[in-house]
Amino acid sequence: MKILITGVKGVIGSKLNDLLKVKGHDVFGVDLFHTNGVYGHGLGSTVNADYFRCDISEYRQIRDVILHCKPDLVYNCAAEFGRWNGEYFYEKVWKTNAIGMKHILRLQEEINFKLVHCSSSEVYGDFDGIMYESVLDEVPIDQMNDYAMSKKINEMQIKNSREMYDTQTVVVRFFNTYGPGEWYHPFRSVNCLFVYNLLNNRPVTVYRGHTRTSTYIHDCVRTLSNISDNFIAGETYNIASSTNHTIEELAECILRHTQADPKLVTYEDATEILTTKNKFVNADKSIRDLDHRETVTLDEGVRQTVMWMKNYYNL
């Protein structure tokens, strides 16, 4: 199968690229920057090219790539990620996530490829119950930040395209995916931020009472790749661990494996602003249709993340 991955140099996209190639697919990737991948000065200029620079928010760029690749399936992993990223760089969040999505849908309507869109648990907003995939169709929900709103709009764009043009799309909602390969910047997952900062003797703040489910990166990507084998148009899947933990428990686990000074962690009773307080998720559909499995515990996942980060940053 010919597969195109947008955001192929990202934490999820890069591992998805490797796994789909192992499965025998013909995979081409795009991302925002020049790199040492196999590509030349133009599309089609290099034999066996598997990468090209492309910004999905620029219609000409993504159109040229799709016309060149003629993919059977597109994984849209490209996105501006994170609630604070969405506050500081809101122009990029809306241009990439909303306009970029519309470009891909317009091309899908014209060329008729299948699409897997990577959404986020942030779409569940202020909902405080168990997060089944159907909740958004049944309960009024306020998304709590620009990033969350952009991801909800993506799902609305997909629904409208499906109704108007019968496009075939699957939506996946990721829940706090973490693990080796997630390099640091200030807008990463809480797991990444805590590990990096504590390894570098920097303070972190824990807001008491928040709960999450942390999904190990390789478990997440394996499930995501399985959509290529069992694509059911119109479905939405939660990809998540079944084990909930508090942020306090996460911090304690990271302290144990980094051996950092516990005094670096400050605990506050206030609710963290612009984010869901508790995320309790049901992932039965991804288990049923995509053979989703949890192979790594939070403790082991944190240990492997710490080991990778120490090696990556020579700590």
Side-chain angles (χ1 to χ4, degrees), residues 3 17 27 30 39 56 91 119 153-154 163 186 212 220 224 226 229-230 235-236 260 273 291 297 302-303:
I3 297 177
N17 176 70
V27 185
V30 298
Y39 72 114
I56 66 168
E91 305 96 331
S119 187
I153 283 174
N154 287 164
E163 291 182 357
R212 291 292 183 268
C220 172
L224 183 62
N226 286 343
D229 304 314
N230 189 31
E235 282 290 4
T236 299
I273 194 170
D291 192 29
T297 64
V302 167
R303 187 187 72 81

Side-chain angles (χ1 to χ4, degrees), residues 104-275:
I104 291 172
L105 289 172
R106 282 288 182 249
L107 290 161
Q108 184 188 23
E109 292 156 10
E110 177 185 348
I111 300 171
N112 200 32
F113 50 81
K114 295 177 181 178
L115 174 64
V116 178
H117 174 65
C118 297
S119 187
S120 167
S121 63
E122 287 290 302
V123 300
Y124 289 102
D126 62 352
F127 184 70
D128 61 358
I130 298 175
M131 295 173 177
Y132 294 91
E133 291 87 347
S134 60
V135 162
L136 270 73
D137 298 321
E138 299 168 353
V139 179
I141 292 173
D142 286 333
Q143 281 72 43
M144 301 179 72
N145 53 72
D146 275 47
Y147 170 66
M149 287 184 273
S150 74
K151 284 300 186 179
K152 170 58 176 173
I153 283 174
N154 287 164
E155 296 193 21
M156 295 167 66
Q157 291 171 310
I158 289 166
K159 181 179 179 181
N160 289 348
S161 179
R162 183 186 300 130
E163 291 182 357
M164 289 189 292
Y165 300 100
D166 198 30
T167 46
Q168 299 184 71
T169 300
V170 168
V171 172
V172 295
R173 296 171 182 158
F174 297 135
F175 281 72
N176 201 33
T177 301
Y178 79 101
E182 188 182 10
W183 59 92
Y184 170 82
H185 62 63
F187 306 108
R188 287 292 193 192
S189 73
V190 62
N191 304 53
C192 176
L193 297 179
F194 280 11
V195 170
Y196 181 85
N197 285 324
L198 290 175
L199 281 174
N200 285 280
N201 295 311
R202 297 178 179 177
V204 300
T205 300
V206 172
Y207 293 91
R208 289 191 178 97
H210 288 260
T211 60
R212 291 292 183 268
T213 174
S214 293
T215 313
Y216 191 64
I217 181 68
H218 293 289
D219 291 342
C220 172
V221 170
R222 178 187 171 277
T223 300
L224 183 62
S225 75
N226 286 343
I227 300 175
S228 66
D229 304 314
N230 189 31
F231 185 96
I232 304 175
E235 282 290 4
T236 299
Y237 297 102
N238 292 328
I239 298 182
S241 166
S242 64
T243 304
N244 280 82
H245 59 80
T246 65
I247 304 302
E248 298 98 294
E249 290 169 333
L250 174 64
E252 290 166 5
C253 182
I254 293 172
L255 278 171
R256 185 164 61 252
H257 288 291
T258 58
Q259 297 184 321
D261 185 346
K263 293 179 181 177
L264 290 169
V265 182
T266 299
Y267 296 87
E268 293 190 7
D269 292 324
T271 300
E272 189 175 8
I273 194 170
L274 297 179
T275 188

Side-chain angles (χ1 to χ4, degrees), residues 41-53:
H41 56 77
L43 288 163
S45 66
T46 301
V47 176
N48 298 322
D50 63 358
Y51 176 82
F52 204 69
R53 182 184 181 187

Side-chain angles (χ1 to χ4, degrees), residues 51-87:
Y51 176 82
F52 204 69
R53 182 184 181 187
C54 173
D55 183 343
I56 66 168
S57 70
E58 299 292 341
Y59 180 76
R60 178 193 61 80
Q61 293 181 26
I62 186 60
R63 178 203 64 198
D64 288 353
V65 167
I66 287 177
L67 290 177
H68 169 73
C69 294
K70 298 180 176 60
D72 304 300
L73 175 64
V74 173
Y75 278 91
N76 183 36
C77 301
E80 288 284 337
F81 164 82
R83 69 185 187 278
W84 290 113
N85 186 43
E87 293 302 308

